[in-house]
Amino acid sequence: MSFRKYTLGGYEEMCAQHRWEVPERYNIATDVCDKHDRGRLAMVWEDWRGDERRVSFGELQDLSCRFANVLRANGVEREDRVATLLPSLPETAAIFIGTYRAGAILLSMSVLYGDEGIEHRLRDSQAKIVVTDAANRDRIPDGLADSVLVLDGGLLQDMADASTSFETVDTAADDPAQLYYSSGTTGMAKGILHAHRYLLAHEEFEFCHEVRDGELFHGSGEWAWAAGICPLLGPWRYGAVALVQARKGGYDPEEHLRFLSKHGVENMFTTPTALRAMTGVEDAGTRFPLDRLRITCSAGEPLNPEVIRWFREQFGVTVLDYYGLTESYPLCGNFPTVEVREGSMGRPMPGWEVAILDEDEQPLPPGERGEICLRARSNPHYPIGYWNRPEDTDEVFGGEWFHTKDAAEVDADGYVWYAGRADDVIISAGYRIGPFEVESACVEHPAVKEAAAVASPDPRRGDIVKAFIVLVGGHEPSDDLADQIKQHVRERHSAYAYPREIEFVSDLPKTLTGKIRRVELREQERERKQAEARA
């Protein structure tokens, strides 16, 4: 049985056949879990010790119903917040589904959060219940929730004793289901509240991944962000099998590739951070063949062309990059049946009204840099709003356009090229320079592992481009190497946008999701130049 709506083809053809179909009543649990036959395989799970589990949709249905009954027994009602701080377990997925089933709002937190980040989310969301494990129980401050349920300390028994019968709450498509907290670069994280209908807009699993019935699908993102939860839930809508790796600690690209090769992954979503780390694995394609892999997609931050080429050389698959934000994604994407232009985020997703606008919300012609904007409330993904922030909600979502604060330009054929955050764009001697294009040119140099380009104050040009460089192992910082990298960028990119200053560093500041915190480097640079000027 196929749950797909569309057949892939040319870009204009796919846009012409697109239609939004949002029923008045809709619950995520019913769509991703209950509609499937009980005996059908839902998940293949393996942890770092090599322990494996194969989970059917019937087991997920029973576990999620049991958990929904546990929620009711603990006083959880519709729209109460249920927070989780758990690793990627089959039970965790069932807890997600059970929360939706009960009509509550899921807030999934990452074990990578600091204690202050956990406390802020619990306090701000006013979570009714927190579900965690013994390893993280001490990180939940007393008094921030009515109850703390410990998965391996009694909750499993409570679930075992609970009934497998639970009548899923009859929710409207517009009822709240998911609370994400943005991993912004400044200020405390803001809650973004999504309705059940938001999952219906995640058609990248049709248009980009071309998910097939019964296909083994792996999403490498952690189950705390949209780029982790949606690649779990979205493919289940189409009958795919989730391939889940439970890691012991930080990301190990060699272990990741060994896992994917062992299980014969067929379709995959991963992040640019993971893909860049893979490039450091010697003879990756020979040692860890991915012979059954059809499609790989990536999102979360821009993907360098060099990484796309490396993955294709190793595994014979061109990574399809797509773009979006927690508020709405994906706005743009690349597709298996449409030409891929390496370094471009592709074209607007079918059904998504995306434009490059100037400061007056007027569309810009091809080749001119502006802000990526989405016509507000034009698809099912638009958020209910920012949690407990009505003024911010009205400001961001109340107008005609949702402003992403990301800069880009579109070429003559409609491909969108990312230039960086709007406030990251470097203006030097009158030129508007996108940091990402400079960084991409830098990492094409064989000695460069990672790069971050920011504006550095300059008395003559206003600002100049400065690059912070992390070197590949075996290369040492030197003035000669810095000159080589500068010349490389001049030749590959442009004579006006090359980094006039280079600083070699051991690592780059990043958010928890692996995005480079350019704002931190930019402020550091401004403070340094100001101190030099006073000296």
Side-chain angles (χ1 to χ4, degrees):
M1 179 179 180
S2 175
F3 298 99
R4 293 177 56 88
K5 287 169 57 179
Y6 306 109
T7 55
L8 300 191
Y11 179 70
E12 290 75 14
E13 178 186 358
M14 292 189 294
C15 289
Q17 68 172 312
H18 183 272
R19 63 199 181 280
W20 291 119
E21 295 178 353
V22 182
E24 182 180 347
R25 315 304 297 180
Y26 176 77
N27 187 286
I28 291 173
T30 303
D31 194 14
V32 305
C33 184
D34 296 354
K35 72 184 181 185
H36 298 299
D37 293 339
R38 290 183 55 82
R40 186 185 183 110
L41 184 63
M43 180 185 295
V44 175
W45 178 93
E46 182 183 319
D47 69 8
W48 69 94
R49 294 177 293 251
D51 295 334
E52 291 186 33
R53 290 172 62 184
R54 298 174 75 83
V55 182
S56 69
F57 277 106
E59 186 176 350
L60 277 182
Q61 291 163 16
D62 289 349
L63 281 171
S64 60
C65 283
R66 291 181 192 275
F67 181 70
N69 279 307
V70 170
L71 290 179
R72 284 289 182 265
N74 281 272
V76 172
E77 302 293 339
R78 288 179 68 137
E79 301 190 13
D80 283 341
R81 273 70 65 206
V82 175
T84 63
L85 184 65
L86 291 166
S88 301
L89 301 167
E91 287 77 13
T92 305
I95 286 167
F96 292 175
I97 295 168
T99 301
Y100 303 135
R101 189 184 298 287
I105 299 171
L106 175 67
L107 164 59
S108 178
M109 297 185 295
S110 169
V111 296
L112 297 176
Y113 290 155
D115 291 348
E116 288 185 4
I118 292 170
E119 181 173 348
H120 165 66
R121 286 161 174 81
L122 293 178
R123 191 181 303 280
D124 188 67
S125 68
Q126 298 175 299
K128 179 89 170 181
I129 277 183
V130 184
V131 187
T132 189
D133 60 1
N136 290 286
R137 173 61 186 91
D138 291 342
R139 304 181 68 199
I140 309 298
D142 293 336
L144 284 188
D146 289 1
S147 303
V148 178
L149 307 180
V150 182
L151 185 61
D152 42 5
L155 176 56
L156 286 177
Q157 186 59 51
D158 290 344
M159 290 173 66
D161 294 339
S163 171
T164 59
S165 177
F166 186 92
E167 185 174 349
T168 300
V169 172
D170 179 24
T171 50
D174 287 329
D175 285 344
Q178 184 77 48
L179 182 59
Y180 292 114
Y181 275 78
S182 63
S183 54
T185 55
T186 59
M188 298 299 287
K190 291 191 296 187
I192 301 165
L193 183 62
H194 282 292
H196 282 269
R197 57 173 156 73
Y198 97 109
L199 194 62
L200 296 173
H202 278 276
E203 294 179 333
E204 69 269 24
F205 300 110
E206 286 208 49
F207 289 116
C208 303
H209 284 281
E210 195 196 7
V211 170
R212 295 177 181 175
D213 194 45
E215 187 168 53
L216 199 58
F217 187 101
H218 172 71
S220 71
E222 192 176 356
W223 296 351
W225 293 282
I229 291 178
C230 292
L232 171 70
L233 302 177
W236 272 341
R237 293 189 63 224
Y238 301 100
V241 179
L243 175 63
V244 179
Q245 180 190 30
R247 301 195 298 266
K248 182 178 181 179
Y251 181 73
D252 184 328
E254 201 160 302
E255 284 301 311
H256 191 197
L257 288 169
R258 182 178 290 111
F259 166 82
L260 296 172
S261 181
K262 172 185 174 180
H263 289 282
V265 65
E266 295 171 281
N267 207 323
M268 178 168 68
F269 169 86
T270 190
T271 65
T273 302
L275 289 168
R276 284 196 295 268
M278 288 179 188
T279 64
V281 177
E282 188 174 353
D283 298 326
T286 302
R287 295 169 59 203
F288 308 110
L290 303 178
D291 298 333
R292 297 178 62 187
L293 182 64
R294 288 195 311 113
I295 291 184
T296 296
C297 294
S298 174
E301 59 177 315
L303 184 61
N304 310 91
E306 183 69 14
V307 177
I308 297 175
R309 290 192 284 270
W310 176 88
F311 197 89
R312 185 170 54 241
E313 290 167 2
Q314 296 294 320
F315 303 109
V317 173
T318 297
V319 180
L320 304 176
D321 189 24
Y322 50 81
Y323 159 84
L325 302 90
T326 306
E327 288 87 343
S328 280
Y329 103 86
L331 280 74
C332 300
N334 284 282
F335 316 100
T337 52
V338 178
E339 176 194 357
V340 174
R341 297 185 180 176
E342 294 164 6
S344 167
M345 62 176 67
R347 302 175 74 174
M349 291 289 293
W352 291 65
E353 296 183 57
V354 178
I356 308 299
L357 304 182
D358 65 14
E359 292 84 351
D360 299 317
E361 294 191 342
Q362 297 302 307
L364 289 166
E368 289 197 23
R369 186 163 294 153
E371 184 182 7
I372 308 170
C373 295
L374 170 69
R375 193 175 296 279
R377 301 174 303 283
S378 61
N379 68 67
H381 205 297
Y382 72 87
I384 295 172
Y386 291 112
W387 181 256
N388 284 339
R389 292 172 179 250
E391 292 182 0
D392 287 347
T393 298
D394 290 342
E395 179 184 348
V396 175
F397 305 115
E400 182 181 1
W401 294 93
F402 165 60
H403 289 254
T404 67
K405 296 183 172 61
D406 280 325
E409 59 187 58
V410 64
D411 66 21
D413 297 317
Y415 285 78
V416 183
W417 298 80
Y418 185 79
R421 294 293 288 171
D423 54 2
D424 281 342
V425 171
I426 304 162
I427 302 176
S428 179
Y431 294 104
R432 295 175 63 84
I433 301 164
F436 176 65
E437 53 199 1
V438 178
E439 293 160 2
S440 291
C442 286
V443 297
E444 288 181 352
H445 190 283
V448 178
K449 180 180 179 182
E450 288 187 300
V454 302
S456 177
D458 180 81
R460 290 180 55 229
R461 294 181 172 84
D463 284 320
I464 59 170
V465 178
K466 176 168 180 175
F468 292 84
I469 300 290
V470 178
L471 293 175
V472 173
H475 294 270
E476 295 296 328
S478 68
D479 291 342
D480 182 59
L481 180 55
D483 289 340
Q484 289 179 33
I485 296 170
K486 291 177 185 179
Q487 187 60 29
H488 176 84
V489 178
R490 282 180 64 99
E491 294 173 354
R492 295 294 185 93
H493 182 33
S494 74
Y496 68 83
Y498 76 95
R500 294 176 183 270
E501 290 185 9
I502 283 179
E503 181 175 335
F504 295 105
V505 294
S506 59
D507 55 26
L508 298 171
K510 294 175 181 174
T511 67
L512 285 175
T513 52
K515 298 176 184 177
I516 296 171
R517 286 175 52 88
R518 293 192 192 94
V519 63
E520 188 173 318
L521 295 171
R522 188 169 64 243
E523 290 307 311
Q524 168 188 314
E525 193 61 18
R526 292 197 184 282
E527 290 174 5
R528 183 180 71 83
K529 288 291 182 74
Q530 288 173 357
E532 289 178 355
R534 290 193 298 266

